[in-house]
């Protein structure tokens, strides 16, 4: 194996796409695709540009819905690309070709669905929906100079209620997902992929009983 040194502008090696819904000041719901995301226990860490409408909504309302699209929802995610719910489009987004979109449900044809524990709507077409509350916020890249400082936030949210499409559940289990049925959409270097073929290799990690990971509810 021959390695060479490179300096990538982005390090998007492949993470699932989440459609975050948050409540706007006027009571409507905004949708934003996000792929800077990881999960630990019932917590999710989101990497968000500070200037996004989602960030403003999430910090103000202290809640959101994490909607997971399946890999056949690429047209809807593409319709959301380069849009923002911010009426005043930040200059760096103008430079990247973004425009203001007041009603992203209408733009995508997705259907809003009332949530139970939060005020932002869920997205009906997403097979997984998680209502969540703000748990923490950390300023990333604080050592950067000038405008770049404070540009990105790592926001922790706590999942309060999870809804899954029936066919994703593992038969015989109350609280488990069938990984063979779940097809997340993956973003790798700005391109969108699915796991359509569904072939999997044996994973030693998967020998661990899932319930052993359950943390005390707080
Ligand atoms: C597939 C995809 C993944 C994205 N991932 C992120 C991300 O991880 N973090 C982020 O800040 N923006 C990400 N974006 C860009 C945001 O969606 C963009 O900033 C958008 O304007 C946010 O909408 P809002 O301003 O209405 O909140 C992504 C966009 C797409 C299409």
């Amino acid at each position: 194996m021959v390695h060479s040194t490179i300096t990538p502008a982005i390090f998007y090696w492949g993470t699932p796409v989440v459609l975050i819904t948050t409540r706007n000041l006027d009571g409507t719901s905004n949708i934003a695709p996000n792929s800077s995301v990881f999960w630990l226990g019932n917590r999710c860490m989101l990497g968000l540009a500070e200037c996004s409408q989602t960030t403003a909504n999430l910090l103000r309302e202290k809640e959101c819905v994490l909607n997971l699209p399946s890999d056949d929802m690429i047209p809807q995610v593409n319709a959301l690309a380069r849009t923002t719910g911010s009426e005043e489009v930040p200059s760096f987004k103008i430079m990247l070709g973004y425009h203001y979109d007041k009603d992203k449900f209408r733009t995508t044809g997705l259907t809003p669905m009332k949530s139970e524990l939060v005020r932002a709507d869920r997205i009906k077409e997403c097979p997984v929906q998680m209502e969540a509350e703000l748990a923490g916020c950390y300023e990333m890249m604080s050592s950067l100079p000038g405008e770049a400082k404070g540009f990105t936030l790592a926001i922790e949210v706590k999942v309060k209620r999870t809804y899954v499409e029936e066919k994703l559940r593992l038969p015989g289990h109350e609280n488990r997902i069938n990984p063979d049925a779940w097809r997340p959409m993956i973003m790798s270097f700005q391109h969108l992929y699915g796991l359509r073929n569904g072939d999997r290799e044996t994973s030693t990690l998967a020998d661990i009983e899932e319930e052993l990971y359950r943390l005390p509810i707080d």
Side-chain angles (χ1 to χ4, degrees):
M1 199 183 289
V2 180
H3 294 84
S4 46
T5 304
I6 65 167
T7 309
I10 54 175
F11 291 81
Y12 302 155
W13 299 105
T15 42
V17 175
V18 181
L19 298 180
I20 307 172
T21 42
T22 50
R23 184 179 178 275
N24 292 314
L25 264 180
D26 66 2
T28 60
S29 289
N30 186 51
I31 314 175
N34 190 282
S35 60
S36 305
V37 54
F38 70 83
W39 315 87
L40 210 50
N42 64 345
R43 307 302 170 106
C44 174
M45 289 298 296
L46 300 162
L48 286 173
E50 191 272 335
C51 64
S52 288
Q53 179 72 6
T54 299
T55 309
N57 287 347
L58 181 50
L59 296 179
R60 184 187 63 250
E61 304 282 323
K62 304 194 172 5
E63 53 187 34
C64 67
V65 184
L66 307 172
N67 305 272
L68 303 189
S70 54
D71 61 3
D72 54 2
M73 292 176 69
I74 289 176
Q76 290 91 331
V77 173
N78 279 335
L80 291 166
R82 298 211 251 186
T83 65
T84 174
S86 309
E87 211 165 333
E88 202 174 310
V89 183
S91 54
F92 114 94
K93 287 195 181 179
I94 292 175
M95 193 254 295
L96 297 177
Y98 278 70
H99 64 272
Y100 169 54
D101 188 333
K102 186 179 165 42
D103 187 351
K104 298 192 202 171
F105 276 100
R106 196 181 55 192
T107 303
T108 52
L110 294 168
T111 316
M113 189 181 180
K114 282 270 162 276
S115 295
E116 294 177 3
L117 301 179
V118 305
R119 292 192 296 174
D121 290 322
R122 293 181 271 158
I123 300 175
K124 191 170 179 203
E125 289 78 4
C126 287
V128 180
Q129 306 151 339
M130 289 162 279
E131 295 173 3
E133 71 180 21
L134 183 68
C137 181
Y138 170 81
E139 190 183 292
M140 290 180 71
M141 305 178 205
S142 55
S143 58
L144 289 179
E147 271 187 23
K149 182 174 153 62
F151 178 75
T152 318
L153 301 177
I155 297 184
E156 178 185 350
V157 298
K158 177 162 83 171
V159 175
K160 304 285 285 178
R161 185 161 289 175
T162 305
Y163 309 83
V164 295
E165 193 186 7
E166 207 51 38
K167 69 178 189 198
L168 298 186
R169 297 180 60 181
L170 190 65
H173 295 267
E174 266 296 287
N175 289 305
R176 288 186 63 175
I177 293 293
N178 178 0
D180 284 331
W182 171 227
R183 293 283 167 263
M185 184 189 299
I186 302 294
M187 194 192 86
S188 174
F189 291 93
Q190 298 201 92
H191 291 275
L192 301 173
Y193 294 84
L195 302 176
R196 279 278 137 210
N197 297 333
D199 302 328
R200 63 171 179 176
E201 301 289 331
T202 307
S203 160
T204 306
L205 190 70
D207 290 342
I208 301 171
E209 163 57 43
E210 268 187 30
E211 281 298 320
L212 295 175
Y213 291 114
R214 191 180 292 282
L215 295 170
I217 300 283
D218 60 347

